[in-house]
Amino acid sequence: MTILDHPAPLTGPAVHCDLPGPRSAEYLERQDRREPNARGGPRRLPIAITEGSGSFVRDADGNVFIDFLAGAGVLSLGHNHPELVAAMTAQLSKLTHALDFATPVKDEFSEAQLAMLPEALRPRMKLHFCGPAGTNAVEAALKLCKTATGRGGVVSYQGRFHGSAHAALGLIGQRPGAHPLSGTQYPPYSSCPRCPAGHDTDTCAATCPDLLERSLHDPDGGLPLPAAVVLELVQGEGGVVPARADFVHRVRELTRELGIPLIVDELQTGCGRTGTWFAFERYGIEPDVIVASKALSGIGSPVSLIIYDERLDHWAPRAHAFRGNQLAFAAGARAIEVVNRDSVLDNVVERGCQFEELLSPLASHQWVTDVRGAGLMWGIELADPRTGAPASELALAVQNHALRRGLIVELGGRGDSVVRLLPPLNVTADVVRTAAGILLAALDSATREAR
């Protein structure tokens, strides 16, 4: 076993010992004693991280990994982007907390966010800063729409994930620790590889929106008009499932016709992840409420917000907590400058095409049922070729083999059978190529063991 006193530079994967190494093991043991069972990452990724730079992290034993989890998509410009660090450092000596008071840095951040919207939306959209996490923004969006409409029910699609707070978790329905939110309906999502009705993709006439439409139009359908429809355009935790365009358009038409606010959850897809600043731009729709968090600061400093049509602004003063992290505002405003200056969205599109090409050999792999993604958000779904059941153990083995070769990936989807990739948006072609090679080798090793 080797422990490096002079660790490798953060420029490429380099794993020199068994995992966890002895120093990481010490941190993990103390974490196990001090922290609750709710912690998740270290159970499957047994390392203690000491530093990061760009697309790489180093653990306590000097091992270097390509980080294609990137804080679950939070670190849009990678670890410790120097310009974002400088912006936060400069703000630190000025002001860090100001409740809902106007501040120069919040003004700059707000202007930058609105400027990234499609031009037709900008004049009528308002911003509400909700707290540190995306789940806070989801809860604020629900409260906003219930206040504006006077209605109580919500439509939330199967396979979704909107956060871990009480109401957001209630949108998920049946899941450990989740209890269905009163009045919530769960129609099927546009998940064609796993169609709940068993329809064929080529012949289906968008049955999913038909079911919702018939229920809402039928006076005896038992479904009153809801306060909102909540929709992920690419289900992230659900296994990287992009919605079909016809499904999205039908849902938008239906909600507009019936006066139901459409909340688009952009927690994971927002801030450039799919190649446009928000995923709804790819579908050519205009939502009523946009929920954003994760990558807003570009560097992991916590902030969340809802961007919504001013006609929904029925809040009374102090009706909902209004918070904003001044350090996150400083970093987020600079992050947008970097995204525009460095053509980061173009890089997302180019690297997405590169992933599509590099992962194409998996189309014929007997354990792979689907490879899908948009921009820099990719998923590889694994299933037992004999039974078709989700290959959860195989996915875990792939994650394990990848880690030991120097690549961090996450799992998601049903049964955690989807290997997920969420690299920084400014990742280079060389790093993508190296990571894809590691992933293919990890899958090859894992499937040989499965036999």
Side-chain angles (χ1 to χ4, degrees):
M1 180 179 294
T2 302
I3 301 176
L4 300 180
D5 292 322
H6 303 285
L10 289 166
T11 55
V15 179
H16 302 282
C17 65
D18 295 335
L19 301 179
R23 292 174 181 167
S24 286
E26 291 176 10
Y27 285 108
L28 293 170
E29 189 277 328
R30 287 194 290 272
Q31 183 185 44
D32 186 52
R33 283 190 284 111
R34 296 167 177 163
E35 297 182 19
N37 290 332
R39 71 192 187 285
R43 296 182 186 278
R44 299 194 299 208
L45 298 166
I47 57 176
I49 297 172
T50 58
E51 63 178 316
S53 178
S55 297
F56 302 95
V57 295
R58 190 194 320 277
D59 76 357
D61 300 282
N63 300 303
V64 179
F65 305 87
I66 299 173
D67 183 6
F68 273 15
L69 175 55
V74 166
L75 299 164
S76 58
L77 297 181
H79 292 269
N80 300 334
H81 190 285
E83 293 183 56
L84 275 56
V85 170
M88 291 182 69
T89 302
Q91 182 62 33
L92 188 61
S93 62
K94 297 177 182 177
L95 183 69
T96 61
H97 192 283
L99 294 173
D100 57 351
F101 287 96
T103 70
V105 70
K106 183 167 75 171
D107 184 75
E108 181 184 7
F109 177 82
S110 299
E111 188 66 26
Q113 288 297 326
L114 291 170
M116 296 300 284
L117 292 174
E119 189 171 358
L121 283 178
R122 296 173 200 165
R124 65 175 190 269
M125 302 303 274
K126 292 202 169 190
L127 307 178
H128 189 116
F129 299 98
C130 311
T135 190
N136 303 119
V138 170
E139 303 232 350
L142 295 176
K143 185 175 177 181
L144 171 78
C145 293
K146 290 182 178 184
T147 301
T149 64
R151 301 193 290 261
V154 179
V155 170
S156 174
Y157 285 92
Q158 296 172 16
R160 67 276 165 227
F161 182 79
H162 300 290
S164 298
H166 178 70
L169 200 59
L171 294 177
I172 301 170
Q174 299 301 323
R175 184 172 174 150
H179 300 282
L181 193 64
S182 178
T184 302
Q185 301 291 326
Y186 306 100
Y189 179 76
S190 167
S191 180
C192 297
R194 196 183 297 274
C195 177
H199 291 172
D200 181 83
T201 303
D202 296 328
T203 59
C204 176
T207 303
C208 294
D210 283 344
L211 295 174
L212 179 62
E213 183 173 3
R214 290 169 187 165
S215 297
L216 291 174
H217 278 295
D218 183 357
D220 298 319
L223 180 59
L225 285 185
V229 171
V230 188
L231 178 64
E232 285 180 286
L233 296 173
V234 182
Q235 290 187 338
E237 302 299 320
V240 193
V241 185
R244 284 172 54 127
D246 54 359
F247 167 80
V248 173
H249 294 158
R250 292 275 301 282
V251 170
R252 175 67 282 196
E253 290 167 6
L254 177 63
T255 53
R256 182 177 287 116
E257 174 195 346
L258 297 177
I260 304 169
L262 176 63
I263 302 172
V264 171
D265 181 338
E266 296 268 8
L267 295 179
Q268 201 162 106
T269 54
C271 304
R273 174 60 57 185
T274 66
T276 51
W277 189 246
F278 286 117
F280 72 79
E281 298 173 67
R282 296 167 52 89
Y283 290 89
I285 66 165
E286 293 183 355
D288 300 299
V289 185
I290 305 160
V291 178
S293 182
K294 285 190 179 290
L296 282 173
S297 73
I299 198 172
S301 189
V303 62
S304 69
L305 80 159
I306 54 176
I307 309 173
Y308 61 91
D309 193 301
E310 61 187 2
R311 66 182 172 77
L312 298 174
D313 193 24
H314 289 226
W315 297 119
R318 304 180 69 179
H320 192 80
F322 198 109
R323 296 291 182 265
N325 183 323
Q326 304 295 306
L327 302 181
F329 292 156
R334 185 61 58 84
I336 287 178
E337 290 182 22
V338 173
V339 166
N340 290 328
R341 183 197 68 205
D342 295 349
S343 301
V344 171
L345 298 184
D346 290 340
N347 186 68
V348 173
V349 174
E350 291 167 8
R351 300 287 72 75
C353 292
Q354 185 184 7
F355 265 121
E356 186 174 14
E357 180 180 352
L358 292 172
L359 299 179
S360 61
L362 296 180
S364 58
H365 196 288
Q366 62 173 341
W367 286 84
V368 175
T369 60
D370 199 19
V371 179
R372 53 185 179 255
L376 285 176
M377 188 176 183
W378 284 83
I380 302 164
E381 185 164 6
L382 306 176
D384 189 317
R386 295 156 295 191
T387 65
S392 306
E393 292 300 321
L394 178 63
L396 186 61
V398 171
Q399 184 185 44
N400 184 276
H401 279 284
L403 184 69
R404 279 150 180 76
R405 287 173 166 85
L407 173 65
I408 297 173
V409 295
E410 183 56 301
L411 305 181
R414 287 170 171 79
D416 278 342
S417 62
V418 179
V419 179
R420 299 176 59 216
L421 307 173
L422 288 168
L425 307 187
N426 54 355
V427 65
T428 66
D430 286 343
V431 172
V432 167
R433 189 176 302 109
T434 300
I438 291 173
L439 186 59
L440 293 174
L443 179 59
D444 184 57
S445 296
T447 50
R448 282 204 306 271
E449 291 176 356
R451 297 190 191 103

